[in-house]
Amino acid sequence: MQIQLLSCDAKKPDRRAIAKALETYAGMDNYTARENAGFLLDGSPVEIEVEGKTTSSAFRAFRKLDVDYEIMD
């Protein structure tokens, strides 16, 4: 499932936690996850692919981190 992460509305966003969620749910390596977390916090949308049983967990994790997302397909 394609998901576009739009923005993070947290008052104090946790870059490390967002990167960890990207590693866990999008299957990114650490460097790419940290880079994409930075892009997201700078205001650029990030598109990721989440598959299988982890989809609902990914939605829950991004809501907990105050990350706004949009389902692409």
Side-chain angles (χ1 to χ4, degrees):
M1 175 179 289
Q2 291 283 96
I3 301 171
Q4 186 171 26
L5 305 177
L6 303 171
S7 65
C8 182
D9 296 331
K11 291 183 181 183
K12 292 185 178 181
D14 188 349
R15 182 183 304 254
R16 194 182 80 189
I18 293 170
K20 184 66 175 170
L22 289 172
E23 281 183 67
T24 303
Y25 300 112
M28 295 180 181
D29 61 80
N30 186 276
Y31 177 78
T32 305
R34 285 188 291 128
E35 186 176 42
N36 281 319
F39 291 149
L40 180 65
L41 294 177
D42 288 339
S44 299
V46 174
E47 193 168 307
I48 62 170
E49 176 80 25
V50 179
E51 292 188 23
K53 298 177 182 180
T54 63
T55 306
S56 61
S57 297
F59 292 148
R60 194 173 319 117
F62 291 126
R63 280 193 306 266
K64 184 177 179 182
L65 294 167
D66 289 328
V67 173
D68 292 329
Y69 59 85
E70 179 179 275
I71 300 170
M72 301 303 288
D73 62 26

